[in-house]
Amino acid sequence: MSVSNPALALPTSVALALPLPTSVELARAIAGYALLGGVAALGAGEAAVSHAPVGLVSAVGALALTVPALLVAHPFLTLRAAPQALVAAIARPFTRTGDVALGLVPTLLLFRATSGLAQLLLALMLVGAAGLGFSLAIRNLVQTEADASEDSWSVWKMTLLAWAWSGLAALIGARLGIGVLLDL
Amino acid sequence: MNATTATLALLGAWLLLGGVTALVLARRGQPAATALSALLAWPVLVPLLADAAPRHAGPFATRIDTCFTALRTALADPSATGIVTAEELVSLEHALRRADGRIGMVDRLLAEEALRADPLALQLDRARGLAADEIESVLRGVVQLRVQVGLVALAGDTVPVRERMRELGARVRAMEEISLA
Amino acid sequence: MSRPSILTLTSQVLRDPQAVVVAHDTPADLGWLAPRLLAISGVGAALFGAVVGSYRGGEQVLYAAMKLPILLWAPPLLALPAIHAAWRACDVEVSYRRLAVASLAGMARAGVLVSALAPILWLPYSVEVEYHFSVLLFAGMLVLAGLPGLTAIAGAIPAGGHRRWIAATGSLALIGLLLAQTGWLLRPFVARPTTAVALLRPVEGDILSGLGTTLTSSLGLYGDWDAGRDGLLAREPR
C-alpha cells in the first residue's frame, strides 16, 4: 500500500529487541507485589487486611491507566517504534521489579514479626521498586525508539514522552496506593 | 501474637524449610554435611534442588569439570561479557552431565557378568561407543568455544560464538535420546 | 577436580575469592563447598564472638560465640533472593547459584578476617574500656571485616546491564538493614558487667528505637529504658 505522506505510513515491523514476558513471569510478578503487601498486613488486624493489595493495586493500576495513553501519544508524535515493542519495553521492567518484590518478602516478613517498621519498609520498598522500574522502562522506551528511528529528533521526543509517561504513572500509582491505605 | 512469639514462629518456619531441604538433599545422595548445612543455610543450597545434575557421574565427569571451569574463567573476563548467558552455559553443562551419567549407567550394566551374555549387550555397547564419541566431540567444541571467545575479545564479532553455542546445544539435545538402532 | 583442604580454601577466599567463585560455580561443587565455607565462617565468627563476650565474662563468652555466626550468616541468606532479582532487573545475567557461591565465599572471608581482628579487640576489652566505646569498637571491627566480604559478593557480578548503581545501592542498603535488625534481635553481644547475662533479650522495639536510645544514653540522657534484667536464659549478675 503506497502513501503520499511518509509520516502516515505504519511503522515497519521491527524485530523486538525485548521479548514480551511469558505468563509465568507475569504471574510471578503479580504474586510478588501481592505477597509483599500481604506480608506487611499479616497479623495486623482486620483493618490492615484491606491494605494488603496496596502493592498490586498501585503497580498494576498505574500501568493499566497510563500505558494506553502512551500508546496513543506515541504515533501522535509521529514516532516510529511498533506498539508491541513499547509494551514489551514496559512489561519487562514490571516483571523484573515484581521478582524484586518477591525477593524482598523474607526481609519484610522478618521486620513484620520483630518490629513495628513493616509499614514504613513496605512503603520504601514499593517506592524503590517503582523507581527502578521507571528508570529501566524509560531506558527501554528510548532505546526501542532509537532502534526504530534514524533521526535524533525522534529520540528526543521519545525521551520527553517516556519521562512524562513515567511521571504520570508514578503520580497515579501513588494516588492508588494512598487510596488503598487510607480507604479513599 | 506478640513479637517474641512471632519471631519464634518465623524461626520455626525457617528451620522447617531447612529440614525439608536437608531431607531432599539427603535423598538425592548429597553428603551428610551438605544436608545438615541446609538446616540453617538452605537459601544458598536451593540451587542443588533445582539442578538436574545426575547423582552418579560417568567417565567424562572430570573432563566436563575441567572444560567448563576453563570456559567460565574465559567468560569471566570483562572483555567477554554478555557473549554467553549463564543459563545457556548451565543448560549445556547439565545436558552433558546427564549424557555422561547415562554412559556411566551403561558401563555399570555392561560390567555385570549376567548381562554381558545377553545378545542386546552388543548393541548397547555400540550405542555407548557412539554416545561417548559424541560427548568427546562436544567437549572439543567447548574447547574451541574458548578460542572463539578470545577472538570476540579482539574482533568483537559474536556471531561465530553464538552459532557454536547453538550447534553444541542442538547436539546435546540430540544426545538426550539413546538409540539402540 | 580435586577438592582443596580447609586450610587451602581459607587461603583462597582471603587471597582471591573471585577465583573460588569462578572455579566452583557448578552444581557438583556447591554441595561439598557449602559446608566447608560455612564452617570456616562459623569458626571465625565464633572466635570473635568469644572475645566480644569476654567483656562481660562468664556465660556471655559462650552466648556471644554462639550468636556471632548467625549475625554473619543471616543478612546475606535473607537478602539473596532480592539481590539476585535486583541485578536481573538491571539486565545483569548472574545465576542464583553464582551469587550463592559468592555469598558463601564472602561470609567465609568476613569470618576469617573478623577472627584475625579478635586479638586487637581483646586488648581494650582486657582493660575494661567504657561500655559505649566497647560497643563502637565491636561494631567497627564487624564493618572492617564485613566490607571485604561484601566485595567478594560484588566481584561475582558480571559487567554489563543498565542502571547498575540502583541494584548496587539497593543490595548494600538491604544487607545493612538486615545486619542492623539481626544484631538488634540477637543482642546482647557486649553486655554491661552490671547487667544480667542473657542469651537473648525479649523482642521489643527495633533497631531504630534502639539506636535512638543509645544516642541519648551516650549523651547522658537516660529515660525509662531498662538495662535488661530479663531475657532468654537470663542470669543475675554475681
Side-chain angles (χ1 to χ4, degrees):
Chain A
M1 175 179 146
S2 64
V3 289
S4 53
N5 186 348
L8 294 175
L10 291 171
T12 53
S13 71
V14 175
L16 284 176
L18 297 168
L20 285 168
T22 63
S23 48
V24 170
E25 288 172 335
L26 272 174
R28 207 168 58 217
I30 289 170
Y33 280 113
L35 270 174
L36 201 62
V39 160
L42 267 180
E46 280 184 23
V49 170
S50 62
H51 301 163
V54 59
L56 195 56
V57 167
S58 51
V60 175
L63 291 182
L65 293 173
T66 59
V67 169
L70 173 73
L71 293 177
V72 165
H74 183 263
F76 181 74
L77 293 173
T78 64
L79 295 168
R80 304 290 295 170
Q84 303 95 301
L86 296 178
V87 171
I90 294 171
R92 187 178 163 102
F94 170 73
T95 54
R96 292 292 169 94
T97 51
D99 287 342
V100 174
L102 193 59
L104 288 170
V105 165
T107 301
L108 194 61
L109 199 53
L110 173 73
F111 278 86
R112 180 68 196 89
T114 63
S115 73
L117 296 174
Q119 295 292 334
L120 171 65
L121 269 180
L122 173 66
L124 286 174
M125 286 173 177
L126 289 176
V127 168
L132 175 63
F134 284 130
S135 173
L136 293 170
I138 289 170
R139 190 253 161 213
N140 287 349
L141 286 168
V142 172
Q143 186 59 49
T144 302
E145 186 61 37
D147 290 343
S149 307
E150 289 177 4
D151 63 299
S152 55
W153 173 229
S154 293
V155 174
W156 270 109
K157 280 194 288 186
M158 187 69 221
T159 307
L160 289 172
L161 178 61
W163 275 98
W165 163 78
S166 63
L168 178 65
L171 285 172
I172 287 180
R175 167 63 184 86
L176 290 171
I178 291 168
V180 169
L181 290 175
L182 301 180
D183 298 319
L184 297 173
Chain B
M1 187 187 277
N2 63 31
T4 304
T5 313
T7 308
L8 289 173
L10 207 58
L11 186 63
W14 182 274
L15 291 174
L16 183 67
L17 285 168
V20 167
T21 309
L23 270 171
V24 173
L25 289 177
R27 289 187 67 182
R28 288 193 184 182
Q30 291 286 347
T34 308
L36 276 172
S37 304
L39 276 174
L40 287 180
W42 57 268
V44 291
L45 293 171
V46 158
L48 290 179
L49 299 178
D51 286 331
R55 209 179 302 181
H56 299 288
F60 293 97
T62 308
R63 274 191 63 196
I64 294 173
D65 281 342
T66 311
C67 281
F68 278 87
T69 300
L71 182 57
R72 282 195 173 86
T73 306
L75 290 170
D77 193 283
S79 50
T81 307
I83 300 172
V84 176
T85 66
E87 279 80 10
E88 283 173 318
L89 211 55
V90 164
S91 170
L92 182 64
E93 186 186 352
H94 284 177
L96 266 177
R97 289 193 187 278
R98 284 195 294 273
D100 179 48
R102 285 192 292 272
I103 290 185
M105 181 202 68
V106 168
D107 285 347
R108 285 187 292 278
L109 281 174
L110 290 173
E112 290 178 32
E113 284 283 346
L115 291 179
R116 251 186 276 154
D118 194 285
L120 275 179
L122 198 60
Q123 274 181 282
L124 191 60
D125 192 37
R126 207 178 304 128
R128 185 256 181 229
L130 288 172
D133 289 342
E134 193 61 15
I135 291 183
E136 283 274 6
S137 177
V138 171
L139 285 175
R140 279 197 296 276
V142 171
V143 172
Q144 285 161 359
L145 197 59
R146 273 181 60 210
V147 173
Q148 284 173 319
V149 166
L151 286 171
V152 166
L154 284 174
D157 182 11
T158 62
V159 170
V161 172
R162 306 291 322 157
E163 282 173 357
R164 173 73 67 176
M165 277 301 296
R166 265 194 293 274
E167 179 212 330
L168 292 176
R171 290 175 75 175
V172 293
R173 275 193 298 278
M175 276 196 288
E176 297 280 22
E177 297 169 20
I178 294 180
S179 170
L180 290 175
Chain C
M1 175 176 292
S2 62
R3 297 176 186 182
S5 66
I6 289 268
L7 281 178
T8 307
L9 201 51
T10 306
S11 168
Q12 285 172 349
V13 293
L14 286 172
R15 195 183 301 275
D16 190 358
Q18 295 322 310
V20 173
V21 174
V22 167
H24 300 298
D25 179 20
T26 67
D29 283 359
L30 179 60
W32 63 261
L33 191 67
R36 288 169 194 232
L37 290 177
L38 285 169
I40 292 170
S41 61
V43 168
L47 283 170
F48 182 71
V51 170
V52 171
S54 70
Y55 185 81
R56 170 63 179 77
E59 295 99 330
Q60 191 61 23
V61 174
L62 177 64
Y63 292 164
M66 284 164 56
K67 291 186 294 186
L68 242 306
I70 301 172
L71 181 63
L72 205 63
W73 293 336
L77 290 178
L78 285 167
L80 198 55
I83 290 175
H84 178 243
W87 285 99
R88 273 194 77 232
C90 294
D91 292 328
V92 178
E93 292 300 334
V94 55
S95 69
Y96 186 89
R97 188 184 60 231
R98 188 181 183 93
L99 275 182
V101 174
S103 299
L104 288 165
M107 287 190 275
R109 197 172 203 222
V112 175
L113 286 172
V114 87
S115 69
L117 292 173
I120 303 173
L121 185 69
W122 176 83
L123 204 50
Y125 276 28
S126 65
V127 297
E128 293 173 9
V129 290
E130 194 269 330
Y131 170 71
H132 291 290
F133 183 63
S134 68
V135 173
L136 281 175
L137 269 179
F138 160 60
M141 298 261 170
L142 270 185
V143 170
L144 207 57
L147 283 174
L150 283 177
T151 57
I153 302 175
I157 295 167
H162 317 285
R163 307 287 192 272
R164 294 172 62 94
W165 65 269
I166 299 180
T169 311
S171 302
L172 203 59
L174 187 61
I175 288 187
L177 191 67
L178 285 167
L179 181 69
Q181 182 67 6
T182 308
W184 175 256
L185 286 174
L186 293 175
R187 74 195 198 284
F189 293 93
V190 186
R192 292 173 191 270
T194 53
T195 58
V197 172
L199 177 62
L200 296 167
R201 296 267 177 251
V203 178
E204 58 197 3
D206 50 67
I207 182 59
L208 293 183
S209 59
L211 280 173
T213 306
T214 302
L215 185 64
T216 51
S217 299
S218 65
L219 296 172
L221 306 166
Y222 294 96
D224 2 316
W225 178 74
D226 183 3
R229 296 280 167 191
D230 62 359
L232 187 62
L233 301 183
R235 296 282 184 275
E236 286 299 318
R238 298 187 201 91

